[in-house]
Amino acid sequence: DLTNPLLAVSSNGLSFDYTYDPEEPIAVQEQPLTLTNNTNLPLAFALRTQVPFSLDSWEHNLLPGDSTELRVSFDPSFKGDRQTQRIDSKMTVVYQNHPQRDTIPLVGDINF
């Protein structure tokens, strides 16, 4: 009998917003995200993102009821072209030994 992974996420998605200010250097923005194992079994998973988003930890093993907090980063200077744009991406949760995949939306708005 296969138990489906159930990972509770502290946010349905993360949005980052950068507005250019010539007086301030372009800085990487960070937000916290908490993931909690809501199943009765240990849960092993890896997280994946794409530039300009990144994480401070990629692989996790959580016992039932355990949580982990990670930092999601957004680099508004990733292209270096100083163009206004919106980046719609996602963080993908890949479970060990289970075909299910979950995604968490990531949005970055860059305003020049």
Side-chain angles (χ1 to χ4, degrees), residues 39-52:
T39 63
N40 296 336
L41 299 170
L43 196 56
F45 58 93
L47 302 171
R48 297 184 182 149
T49 61
Q50 295 180 342
V51 172

Side-chain angles (χ1 to χ4, degrees), residues 4-103:
N4 287 333
L6 183 55
L7 194 61
V9 182
S10 62
S11 175
N12 290 334
L14 295 178
S15 293
F16 297 86
D17 188 50
Y18 170 79
T19 301
Y20 177 71
D21 180 347
E23 303 295 318
E24 295 288 326
I26 299 174
V28 172
Q29 298 177 1
E30 290 187 343
Q31 291 186 37
L33 188 69
T34 303
L35 307 174
T36 303
N37 178 3
N38 280 353
T39 63
N40 296 336
L41 299 170
L43 196 56
F45 58 93
L47 302 171
R48 297 184 182 149
T49 61
Q50 295 180 342
V51 172
F53 300 98
S54 63
L55 306 171
D56 66 349
S57 58
W58 299 92
E59 295 185 3
H60 299 270
N61 291 288
L62 297 178
L63 295 174
D66 280 358
S67 296
T68 186
E69 181 173 291
L70 53 114
R71 306 287 303 168
V72 181
S73 300
F74 170 67
D75 182 359
S77 68
F78 79 106
K79 273 188 159 178
D81 62 2
R82 295 185 179 225
Q83 296 292 314
T84 295
Q85 58 189 305
R86 178 185 177 99
I87 297 100
D88 288 299
S89 189
K90 62 188 173 191
M91 176 174 24
T92 303
V93 182
V94 180
Y95 298 98
Q96 184 178 334
N97 301 320
H98 197 285
Q100 179 176 317
R101 302 284 186 265
D102 291 324
T103 59

